[in-house]
Amino acid sequence: MDLKQWIRDVPNFPVEGVIFRDITPLLQDPKAFRYALDELEKYCRTKEIDVIVAIEARGYILAAPLADRLGVGFVPARKPGKLPWDRIREEYQLEYGMAALEMHADAIKPGQKVLIVDDVIATGGTLSATKRLVERLGGQVVGFACLVELTFLNGRRTLEGYDFFSLIQY
Ligand code: AMP
C-alpha cells in the first residue's frame, strides 16, 4: 500500500518554506490507518520492549494502539507545564528558538527497554531530547519508530548507534 496517498502536503505551514506532512487523511481512512499500525507493529515485534514512549501530540495517536497491541506500557513525553507530578526536562534546538519536553520522574524504571515513537522525524532534535529523558531515568532505548522521515534533513544522524525505522520517506 502506498501510504503517501494519505499524507497531505501543506506548503508554507507553520512557517514560510516548510512543507508540512499532514497525517490526518491517513488517520481518517480506517484501512490506511490499520495498515500503518500493522507495519509499525511488525517493526516493534523485532525488538524486546517493556515501554513505548511517545511525543505529544501526534506521536500518541500511533503509540497508544501500538502499546495496546504489544501489551506494553505507554509513557507520554509532554510539552512543559502539563505533567502534574515530579518531572525531568530536556531542552532542544528548533529551527527557530528552543523547545522542551518533560517526563514524569517515575515513568521509566532503570533497565526497562524503551521504544520511542513519533509521527515525523525532521532534524531529529525531538527524538534525541526524548532519548536523553529516557536515559536519564535509566531506561535502555532499543529503537525509534516514525511514520514519516524527512530524509533530506538527515535526522537519523542524531540517533547514530541506535536502531531507527520509518514507514514513509521524503
Ligand atoms: P524534529 O525535532 O526537527 O525532528 O521535528 C520533529 C517534530 O516536529 C515532530 O514531532 C513532528 O511532528 C514535527 N515536524 C517537523 N517538521 C515537520 C513537517 N515538515 N511536517 C510535519 N511535522 C513536522
Side-chain angles (χ1 to χ4, degrees):
M1 197 183 263
D2 179 16
L3 287 178
K4 278 188 183 169
Q5 309 172 55
W6 286 281
I7 305 291
R8 178 164 43 207
D9 300 338
V10 186
N12 303 316
F13 183 88
V15 292
E16 197 70 24
V18 168
I19 302 175
F20 191 83
R21 307 294 177 175
D22 175 19
I23 67 165
T24 62
L26 183 145
L27 302 175
Q28 267 171 262
D29 185 291
K31 284 201 184 74
F33 188 20
R34 177 160 297 160
Y35 176 81
L37 288 172
D38 287 346
E39 292 300 306
L40 289 166
E41 182 185 351
K42 275 186 209 159
Y43 169 71
C44 292
R45 290 200 182 276
T46 68
K47 307 270 162 208
E48 206 182 302
I49 299 167
D50 300 312
V51 180
I52 291 185
V53 169
I55 297 147
E56 186 173 351
R58 290 183 297 275
Y60 299 167
I61 300 166
L62 302 167
L66 283 173
D68 181 58
R69 285 172 177 217
L70 297 168
V72 304
F74 173 89
V75 166
R78 296 214 61 179
K79 311 230 164 98
K82 305 281 188 184
L83 288 171
W85 194 245
D86 293 340
R87 64 202 92 85
I88 60 168
R89 175 191 289 220
E90 280 287 333
E91 296 191 339
Y92 59 101
Q93 193 78 41
L94 283 182
E95 228 171 319
Y96 306 95
M98 297 292 287
L101 284 171
E102 295 182 342
M103 209 181 271
H104 274 151
D106 62 359
I108 308 282
K109 291 176 189 64
Q112 279 192 314
K113 294 184 170 64
V114 177
L115 182 91
I116 300 176
V117 172
D118 203 2
D119 65 330
V120 176
I121 179 171
T123 65
T126 307
L127 288 177
S128 300
T130 309
K131 168 181 79 84
R132 295 197 296 277
L133 287 170
V134 169
E135 291 179 342
R136 278 172 61 189
L137 297 178
Q140 183 196 338
V141 176
V142 296
F144 296 87
C146 289
L147 190 59
V148 175
E149 177 180 7
L150 307 181
T151 57
F152 53 93
L153 293 171
N154 205 10
R156 243 176 221 255
R157 189 202 54 222
T158 65
L159 310 173
E160 226 168 79
Y162 294 83
D163 203 46
F164 177 86
F165 175 79
S166 66
L167 208 47
I168 305 164
Q169 294 84 29
Y170 289 92

